[in-house]
Amino acid sequence: MSDPAATLERSTDLRRRFENAGQGHVFRFLAELAPARQAALLEQLASVDLDEVRRLHAQLASKEASVNLDAIEPAPYVPAHFADAAKYRAIGEDLLRDGKVSAFVVAGGQGTRLGWRGPKGTYPSTVITGKPLFRVFAEQLLAANRKYGVTIPWYVMTSPLNDTDTRAFFRDNNWFGLEERNVFLFPQGTMPSITHDGKLLLEEKDTLAVNPDGHGGALRALKSSGALEDMAARGITQLSYFQVDNPLVRVVDPLFLGLHAAHPDSSGEMSSKMVPKRDAGEKVGVFCRERTASGSRTRVLEYSDLPPAISQATDPDGRLRYRAGSIAIHILTLAFIDRLTRDPDRFGLPFHRAIKKVPHIDPTTGQKVEPSQPNAVKFEAFIFDALAECRSSLVVETTRVEEFAPIKNATGDDSPATSHQLQSDRAGNWLSACGVSIPRRADGTTNAKIEISPLTALDIDDLRRAQLPRSVDVGAEVLL
Ligand code: UTP
């Protein structure tokens, strides 16, 4: 039971602070609320850092810091095919066998573009069986545990907005065959969404409108949730970071781990994978090297940061000069995260702003507003901004068909349809490498639906040991 006198006192104090900051409107409906809802709203308001909101809004007015284009050049990268791959793969396999590696998926996003009701990880993603994304990752972990004779713990970042549903999904699916104690779910933080003139928004009369604080909120959340401590206690040194929307991701990749840990150009702090951009207009960030007073650092610049003259420039061989597109796959060393987050009060990756549609209560009428146009500013931090904190960071090339088939939109680019085709293409390529005859269209894509379970094969070598057909018919459905 909330104590009405205490609630009143708290309310008076808070109200004064909010009014002084020009945010008194969020109290407008307090008197109408039942006592428990009053207490909930006051608690939420007490957690808002009004100075930060003011500072971020001021930054918004003055636009984001611009990039000094004279100081950047394309980031060098390890090409997809290079000598010594076997050596680095063996180093990565040792890290796995020694129990040094954890898997980390960021699944706190709102997935608004896809329009799926429920956490995105519950989305049916595979070509034939429609396995939810979370199951695809869990089965990779089951297979890797078996292959390397270890238990790879899995850290899953949710948000306060989808944590309950995500936990229920894991529970209802019996943790996908993993042991519950080796799966660590934790919510990230949130940021208030504001109007263009800096006002906080009420999602309901008793709730402030907030959004998850971006995948860059992961570092702080890993620290505050106790996940870092849990990893340290397990002897983990490496975190394999990936996003929830990519069913082709290698949840743990021995070659990438080995390169991160032992390549001479890696400081062993944070490494990244890239794929060559499809074309200059593709809306992905690109890896750049930026000269600084003390040397240089790797950065991901957003497509909107690069003027066409730069994003369209080509090398003498005709390839885009800035072609290294970020696919949000990283390895971070625990010691690096620990260094960055040791003092959580002073640590924070910079916030970027996104203009989005946020339903809210009109503070004058009390009516719900469902905006048809973007009406609000959300603040999000991006994980790749941590690259700037590395002494030296490695970028490794891979191919789209092998590792990147994200499901972001309901239709068009990066949709279930494009992802399914890439999944069948990769499966077709793997089967071809094992001597199976695969039907192909003129453009080389696989003309059949093929799904290979992670429990059957994590890579081509595993597939060679499986029972395989001699050939696949045009339009066939093949499940392995
Ligand atoms: P996206 O940038 O695709 O955002 O996230 P989103 O929120 O999922 O989708 P839209 O933009 O609303 O359609 C890329 C990855 O980062 C995670 C997402 O869950 C996804 O794995 N993410 C994003 C978080 O974990 N937290 C966030 O605050 C934002």
Side-chain angles (χ1 to χ4, degrees), residues 24 47-48 64 68 107 164 227 230 256 258 267 291 310 419 430 468:
S47 71
V48 174
E64 294 201 0
N68 175 4
T164 306
D230 185 77
F256 187 33
S267 63
R291 280 188 303 285
I310 290 199
S419 179
W430 285 14
L468 302 178

Side-chain angles (χ1 to χ4, degrees), residues 20-35:
N20 289 342
Q23 304 285 9
H25 59 284
V26 295
F27 285 83
R28 195 143 306 157
F29 309 103
L30 191 72
E32 297 175 21
L33 304 175

Side-chain angles (χ1 to χ4, degrees), residues 55 57-58 71 107 111 129 140 163 184 191 194 223 233 243 256 261 309 322 364 381 394 403 459:
R55 188 172 51 76
H57 178 246
T129 62
Q140 285 196 43
D163 187 73
F184 192 118
M191 285 294 290
I194 60 172
K223 174 77 173 184
Q243 300 194 333
F256 187 33
Y322 286 89
T364 36
L394 200 67
E403 306 195 41
D459 54 31

Side-chain angles (χ1 to χ4, degrees), residues 102-107 141 152-158 184 186 215 217-219 221-222 227 231 238-244 251-252 328 330 332 337 383:
S102 63
F104 175 39
V105 64
V106 287
L141 286 171
I152 299 168
W154 187 15
Y155 298 84
V156 180
M157 185 172 85
T158 63
F184 192 118
F186 61 96
H215 38 68
L219 299 186
L222 281 164
M231 286 180 215
Q238 311 293 341
L239 214 101
S240 177
Y241 169 104
F242 58 98
Q243 300 194 333
V244 75
V251 163
V252 289
H330 304 280
L332 296 102
I337 306 175
I383 189 76

Side-chain angles (χ1 to χ4, degrees), residues 105-114 120 157-159 162 188-189 211-216 241-245 328 356 378 380-381 408-409:
V105 64
V106 287
Q110 295 176 290
T112 42
R113 282 170 289 171
L114 183 60
K120 213 194 239 187
M157 185 172 85
T158 63
S159 84
N162 69 15
Q188 65 180 110
N211 59 272
D213 59 1
H215 38 68
Y241 169 104
F242 58 98
Q243 300 194 333
V244 75
D245 48 26
K356 298 275 169 100
K378 292 183 177 182
E380 295 188 354
K408 298 228 179 249
N409 304 307

Side-chain angles (χ1 to χ4, degrees), residues 275-284 320 322-323 325 400 404-406 409 412-415 418 422:
V275 297
K277 279 179 67 167
R278 258 192 300 250
D279 50 60
E282 190 183 5
K283 292 180 176 173
V284 293
L320 287 175
Y322 286 89
R323 58 181 168 272
R400 223 170 267 270
F404 189 54
N409 304 307
D413 285 345
D414 298 336
S415 63
T418 58
L422 281 163

